[in-house]
Amino acid sequence: MNKVMAANRSEIAIRIFRACTELGLRTVAIYSHEDRLSLHRYKADEAYVVGKGKEPVSAYLDWEKILDLAKEKKVDAIHPGYGFLAENAQFAKACLEKDIVFIGPSPEVLELVGDKVRARKLAQDLGIPVIPGTPQPVEDPEEALNFAREEGYPVIIKAAAGGGGRGMRVAWREEELAKSLEIAKSEAQKAFGDSRIFLEKYLVKPKHIEVQILADNQSNLVHLFERDCSIQRRHQKLLEIAPSLGLDPFLKERLYEHALRIARAVNYVSAGTVEFLVDREGHYYFIEVNPRIQVEHTVTEMITGRDLVQAQLRIARGESLKDIGILGQEAVKKSGCAVQCRVTTEDPTNNFLPHTGRIVAYRTAAGYGIRLDGGNGFVGARISPYYDPLLVKVTSWALTFPDAVAKMGRALREFRIRGVKTNIPFLLNVLEHPRFLEGKCDTTFVDTTSELFHFPERKDRGTKILSYLAHVSINGFPGIKKKPHITLRDPQPPKAPPTSPPPGTRDLLEKIGAERFTEWIKEQKPLLITDTTWRDAHQSLMATRVRTYDMLQVAQSVAHLMPQLFSLEMWGGATFDVAMRFLQEDPWDRLVKLKEKVPNIIFQMLLRGANAVGYTNYPDNVVKTFVRESAQAGIDLFRIFDCFNWIEGMKGSIEEALSTGKLVEVSLCYTGDISDPDRTKYTLDYYLNLAKELGSMGIHILAIKDMAGLCKPQAAYQLVKALKEETSLPIHFHTHDTAGNGVASCLMATHAGVDIVDLALSSMAGLTAQPSMEAVIAALKASEREPQVTLDQATAMSAYWERIREFYTPFESGLKGPTGELYFHEIPGGQYSNLKPRAVE
């Protein structure tokens, strides 16, 4: 047995996975569509959706599809937990037919004791007292009426299959019986897929006592003492105790003996529970066998030190009780007392109506003697109306009952659960009630004790403070400015005329070709500008989060009002990763749509050599195909780089890009400080040698790619001047403004003769992005290198992005101003801002 599936959900599935992991078994979870965010799916090694198109509960009852999935995923064994398929003999039999171990009793035992009517008959045959009831499931309402008239009211209607209080109704008089029959049938069908019901005489004010049993495949059988499950509401257990209080020791021994007698009679294997009712006179009656693990098994584990779920798994794989360390009944010892409370999202002030919603705060208890078995209790969990409202089972243990109760009370008070209502105030009232502390509670305790429903008003100060802060931040307060309401359609770009855009660089490139266009670049006196706003600027500032939608709104305006731009860097880098993983966009769709809006300006992309636009080396044929497809889709200029300046790693991309007839620009990745050669091994000669080798490959443009913004003004001047003297290629300068030196470096590069610089519109510039376009344009005003892009044009376009940037504030790095720290850590601008949102995800 190597791989175990839990055919269940939430808390019990997690309990099974933990036991499996401790035994070195691989785990498989199943989940419905409604449970796709449920915690249990993330606690398993593998998880798969089931019941597509089915109702939420039916998804977990679709045993044929569950078994098909188990076979497909090579599951060795299935643990059914409790509820759903746990007592379904047909499911157990189908598991065995498919060579999958069913962790529980045999199908034959399930058919016998899982059916409460047959189990009653078995107990009668063994001489064990049973409550008067119908010998067979009731089909005809008249049959039920006859039984009730003969035995007298009240009577209880029970589901023949399953447990957990579902399919159970008490009728106190004849007019209630017919309606209760239909309700019980409907509940049983929904919960267990079996609508059969039967009737019993209803005992007034009994104690509900159950005996835990454990048996192996070698006829070894023991009990693990008893639990008191009398604290119930609508036959649903709320709180359990082990061992029971106030029961005569002789009576306990009789219950143990009868539980073992039933188990032996059917050759029971695995863990199970035999349940009894004990009336006020000390008479006891068998009521049912639960052939599965139960919700309340934790209190038995706490007083015996025995892991029942692990025991089930070990027995299922052929181990004996002796192998588990149980050499006989005398080996099972008990110590102290345990109490279990089920914390649920039920509102005790509103008739225990299940409460749904999102958990906004969740703080659990801890400490010595406290055990937590959690389900969907975590911040952000959405509590749906489809399933049991259990959040977490809290179990306390101490040497004495009063101490165990005190620990439980302390633990429940430590919980802080906000966003949904819980039953914790009610549980605290139960724990503090004198009858409970004396151990004198019966199954009517909750329904007949009104003071349990008197709750002090809860302060919930934390949530109130958070709500107040949220209110003030949105709506303002005297002295605090109200936050403006912004919708995605508010920012309006400058209007473009309804004509075709004027000619731009792409038109010229298409007309004269890449080789002649390269010469045209070198002939230009005005400084040429690449606008990075659509790619590197927002990658560096806000982790590439800008949507295609926001670019398309301004694209046509850029085509008409800024045709003097050399290029628009709008693709590559982290675009693919974020568009597909975070924005759920198609990056190819972005390229095509923007090209339609801006047909006149060169589109430039960043290509990571052998990595293309991914984060791993791809086969050469993949990279080459990507380059060809990109050229066809609208890329005009490929900026190719390798962060280690490894030319061999870029060679394939360079050659393929050249073959497309598009412009090919290769980068020298800059680091260190060439103006201080004593402190860096990356000297001026290092970059010149690289440039010469690249120039021999037939590329069109040489880029200086200063990803970290390390290129100080004097170094920019030296490097550009030397490259212009030693090569015949146009020089394109790219830097980041993290240290605040970016504009100065661009100006010094311009004085040294650089042909093109990367700039961003001022509202998307600075910090980890590129230097401000408007600042450089203004600085070069009236000089021979004054750009053709005007200050008015850039400022008008910048206003649009100033409003857009507000939407993406949560993704910014938090850097408030320039920092000289980068000269020490040398982290690239894009990486600097990416670290925080990537870590948050």
Side-chain angles (χ1 to χ4, degrees):
M1 199 162 81
N2 297 309
K3 187 186 285 191
V4 177
M5 172 187 283
N8 217 300
R9 64 178 298 276
S10 195
E11 173 269 326
I12 187 57
I14 295 171
R15 172 73 181 91
I16 293 164
F17 297 149
R18 285 172 172 160
C20 289
T21 301
E22 290 163 10
L23 292 175
L25 300 172
R26 190 167 177 82
T27 54
V28 179
I30 59 172
Y31 61 94
S32 67
H33 175 76
E34 290 75 15
D35 259 346
R36 60 194 178 278
L37 299 179
S38 185
L39 190 61
H40 78 271
R41 92 173 261 200
Y42 302 104
K43 291 290 187 180
D45 297 315
E46 304 171 31
Y48 305 99
V49 67
V50 293
K52 291 181 181 178
K54 290 184 174 290
E55 294 295 318
V57 173
S58 299
Y60 291 101
L61 294 173
D62 190 359
W63 59 265
E64 291 175 323
K65 292 293 178 57
I66 291 172
L67 280 178
D68 288 343
L69 176 66
K71 288 299 291 183
E72 178 188 339
K73 304 304 176 184
K74 297 180 172 55
V75 167
D76 303 307
I78 291 180
H79 195 308
Y82 53 72
F84 295 127
L85 298 168
E87 298 179 42
N88 190 311
Q90 193 177 9
F91 175 59
K93 184 177 181 182
C95 285
L96 299 181
E97 289 172 350
K98 290 183 178 289
D99 293 324
I100 294 174
V101 176
F102 178 81
I103 300 172
S106 67
E108 294 75 20
V109 171
L110 287 176
E111 286 179 345
L112 179 55
V113 301
D115 184 321
K116 294 180 176 61
V117 176
R118 295 182 66 184
R120 280 172 45 84
K121 178 66 168 57
L122 171 66
Q124 286 177 309
D125 293 342
L126 294 172
I128 299 171
V130 299
I131 301 170
T134 56
Q136 299 295 332
V138 173
E139 299 289 342
D140 185 359
E142 191 62 34
E143 183 182 352
L145 288 169
N146 290 337
F147 171 80
R149 289 165 185 160
E150 181 179 336
E151 294 293 337
Y153 289 91
V155 295
I156 184 167
I157 306 157
K158 292 184 175 181
R166 292 177 177 83
M168 296 178 71
R169 283 290 183 275
V170 177
W172 292 86
R173 55 190 63 86
E174 190 164 300
E175 53 267 31
E176 295 177 2
L177 184 55
K179 182 179 179 181
S180 296
L181 286 169
E182 292 306 315
I183 294 173
K185 280 186 176 182
S186 175
E187 283 186 357
Q189 179 62 42
K190 287 180 180 178
F192 315 116
D194 186 342
S195 64
R196 294 175 306 131
I197 54 151
F198 69 101
L199 273 67
E200 283 182 344
K201 174 67 179 170
Y202 180 64
L203 292 186
V204 178
K205 296 187 176 181
K207 277 185 172 292
H208 188 146
I209 307 297
E210 54 190 36
V211 178
Q212 179 70 56
I213 59 171
L214 186 65
D216 62 21
N217 287 291
Q218 300 172 28
S219 301
N220 299 307
L221 173 67
V222 294
H223 70 77
L224 288 87
F225 307 103
E226 84 288 351
R227 303 185 282 259
D228 188 331
C229 304
S230 300
I231 308 296
Q232 303 178 5
R233 181 179 178 277
R234 295 176 181 167
H235 314 291
Q236 178 68 50
K237 301 165 188 174
L238 304 174
L239 185 153
E240 295 87 10
I241 303 164
S244 63
L245 304 175
L247 280 189
D248 183 89
F250 175 76
L251 174 59
K252 289 186 181 183
E253 291 297 331
R254 294 287 289 167
L255 297 181
Y256 303 155
E257 177 191 338
H258 289 322
L260 295 175
R261 187 186 302 176
I262 290 175
R264 286 194 187 95
V266 297
N267 294 320
Y268 194 92
V269 173
S270 195
T273 306
V274 184
E275 305 200 6
F276 301 89
L277 292 181
V278 180
D279 68 18
R280 287 174 290 182
E281 286 75 38
H283 301 128
Y284 63 90
Y285 304 91
F286 166 83
I287 52 173
E288 64 185 16
V289 175
N290 277 311
R292 52 175 169 81
I293 199 72
Q294 286 196 266
V295 181
E296 57 272 23
H297 74 276
T298 62
V299 288
T300 297
E301 292 183 329
M302 295 292 272
I303 66 167
T304 63
R306 301 288 178 176
D307 189 321
L308 290 172
V309 178
Q310 274 200 20
Q312 286 185 295
L313 293 163
R314 295 177 68 177
I315 289 169
R317 68 183 184 185
E319 295 185 50
S320 67
L321 292 186
K322 181 179 179 181
D323 297 326
I324 295 171
I326 302 176
L327 303 180
Q329 186 61 59
E330 63 280 0
V332 183
K333 308 295 183 182
K334 64 179 174 181
S335 173
C337 295
V339 179
Q340 177 188 282
C341 285
R342 307 182 189 190
V343 177
T344 64
T345 58
E346 294 173 305
D347 182 3
T349 65
N350 191 17
N351 201 28
F352 284 85
L353 187 71
H355 200 240
T356 60
R358 180 176 175 270
I359 297 178
V360 296
Y362 189 81
R363 189 168 78 231
T364 63
Y368 178 71
I370 295 298
R371 166 179 170 175
L372 302 178
D373 289 73
N376 272 339
F378 58 92
V379 173
R382 293 198 174 275
I383 307 303
S384 76
Y386 305 117
Y387 302 110
D388 189 297
L390 178 67
L391 279 182
V392 60
K393 298 185 317 194
V394 187
T395 308
S396 66
W397 177 90
L399 287 173
T400 67
F401 178 65
D403 287 344
V405 172
K407 284 182 181 293
M408 178 61 74
R410 184 268 300 167
L412 292 179
R413 287 184 177 88
E414 283 187 17
F415 273 88
R416 292 293 182 273
I417 303 172
R418 302 291 181 257
V420 291
K421 295 181 179 179
T422 73
N423 65 339
I424 288 178
F426 168 79
L427 293 171
L428 288 169
N429 283 354
V430 172
L431 293 172
E432 294 167 358
H433 198 279
R435 279 173 60 194
F436 174 77
L437 294 172
E438 293 169 5
K440 294 181 178 179
C441 295
D442 55 53
T443 57
T444 66
F445 172 66
V446 172
D447 296 325
T448 59
T449 310
S450 60
E451 57 265 35
L452 297 178
F453 297 91
H454 298 160
F455 309 112
E457 182 181 354
R458 310 204 76 175
K459 302 297 183 182
D460 196 7
R461 298 181 184 91
T463 303
K464 289 176 180 176
I465 291 171
L466 289 174
S467 298
Y468 171 77
L469 292 173
H471 173 79
V472 170
S473 67
I474 297 297
N475 301 313
F477 191 77
I480 301 176
K481 187 177 180 181
K482 179 179 176 180
K483 186 173 181 178
H485 176 70
I486 302 173
T487 66
L488 288 178
R489 295 188 178 276
D490 280 343
Q492 295 296 322
K495 288 189 176 180
T499 58
S500 297
T505 51
R506 183 174 184 273
D507 298 297
L508 182 61
L509 174 63
E510 292 288 299
K511 180 179 179 181
I512 65 177
E515 300 300 330
R516 180 68 188 91
F517 187 82
T518 303
E519 296 302 316
W520 174 85
I521 294 172
K522 293 188 290 185
E523 293 166 2
Q524 302 308 300
K525 281 292 182 184
L527 179 67
L528 299 174
I529 294 175
T530 290
D531 184 0
T532 64
T533 304
W534 288 4
R535 211 283 300 173
D536 201 0
H538 74 87
Q539 175 171 327
S540 299
L541 290 174
M542 53 199 67
T544 328
R545 292 311 196 256
V546 174
R547 306 174 307 160
T548 301
Y549 174 89
D550 293 317
M551 297 180 197
L552 287 172
Q553 301 308 299
V554 76
Q556 204 162 6
S557 299
V558 171
H560 282 82
L561 304 179
M562 300 182 76
Q564 306 94 332
L565 285 171
F566 171 74
S567 65
L568 289 164
E569 194 198 42
M570 46 69 62
W571 216 54
T575 299
F576 269 69
D577 175 53
V578 180
M580 294 190 293
R581 182 172 56 86
F582 183 85
L583 299 176
Q584 276 102 53
E585 289 188 359
D586 181 349
W588 294 98
D589 185 60
R590 172 180 296 188
L591 175 57
V592 171
K593 287 182 176 177
L594 287 174
K595 198 68 175 183
E596 290 174 357
K597 298 276 188 180
V598 189
N600 57 329
I601 302 173
I602 286 173
F603 273 13
Q604 173 178 319
M605 78 164 291
L606 184 66
L607 190 73
R608 298 187 185 96
N611 294 62
V613 288
Y615 292 95
T616 186
N617 280 2
Y618 294 109
D620 290 349
N621 61 327
V622 172
V623 175
K624 291 179 179 180
T625 301
F626 176 83
V627 169
R628 288 197 302 273
E629 294 287 340
S630 302
Q632 291 172 10
I635 293 299
D636 306 298
L637 190 159
F638 291 92
R639 174 181 282 174
I640 301 169
F641 84 103
D642 180 89
C643 64
F644 300 113
N645 290 326
W646 183 40
I647 293 177
E648 190 64 30
M650 297 187 281
K651 189 172 292 184
S653 300
I654 294 171
E655 292 172 352
E656 192 62 33
L658 286 169
S659 73
T660 66
K662 303 296 183 179
L663 290 170
V664 179
E665 174 178 304
V666 181
S667 299
L668 304 175
C669 284
Y670 180 88
T671 191
D673 182 4
I674 61 167
S675 62
D676 188 2
D678 294 335
R679 299 187 61 186
T680 180
K681 64 180 180 179
Y682 300 105
T683 63
L684 181 60
D685 286 340
Y686 166 79
Y687 293 110
L688 291 177
N689 290 333
L690 277 175
K692 290 172 183 177
E693 187 174 353
L694 290 170
S696 67
M697 298 176 70
I699 65 174
H700 303 112
I701 305 170
L702 187 66
I704 300 167
K705 184 169 175 55
D706 175 23
M707 291 186 288
L710 294 170
C711 194
K712 298 172 185 175
Q714 187 58 39
Y717 181 85
Q718 290 179 18
L719 183 56
V720 171
K721 188 172 187 299
L723 290 172
K724 292 294 287 185
E725 291 173 353
E726 296 294 330
T727 74
S728 60
L729 294 171
I731 307 300
H732 194 159
F733 183 62
H734 169 95
T735 190
H736 292 248
D737 203 19
T738 316
N741 262 333
V743 172
S745 294
C746 286
L747 292 174
M748 290 297 283
T750 302
H751 291 317
V754 79
D755 299 283
I756 317 158
V757 293
D758 280 2
L759 303 170
L761 294 168
S762 61
S763 58
M764 294 285 281
L767 302 179
T768 52
Q770 280 65 60
S772 163
M773 186 184 302
E774 290 93 310
V776 172
I777 292 172
L780 294 174
K781 180 74 174 175
S783 72
E784 66 173 3
R785 303 231 54 194
E786 178 182 355
Q788 291 185 346
V789 178
T790 69
L791 191 60
D792 288 344
Q793 292 169 331
T795 303
M797 215 62 67
S798 184
Y800 169 80
W801 286 104
E802 183 177 3
R803 297 295 305 280
I804 288 294
R805 187 169 172 178
E806 293 182 38
F807 304 140
Y808 299 95
T809 301
F811 304 108
E812 300 218 19
S813 66
L815 195 65
K816 302 299 183 184
T819 173
E821 284 186 357
L822 78 95
Y823 293 122
F824 300 105
H825 59 60
E826 300 187 357
I827 297 175
Q831 186 177 352
Y832 193 95
S833 57
N834 260 296
L835 289 175
K836 179 180 176 181
R838 287 295 291 271
V840 169
E841 289 170 31

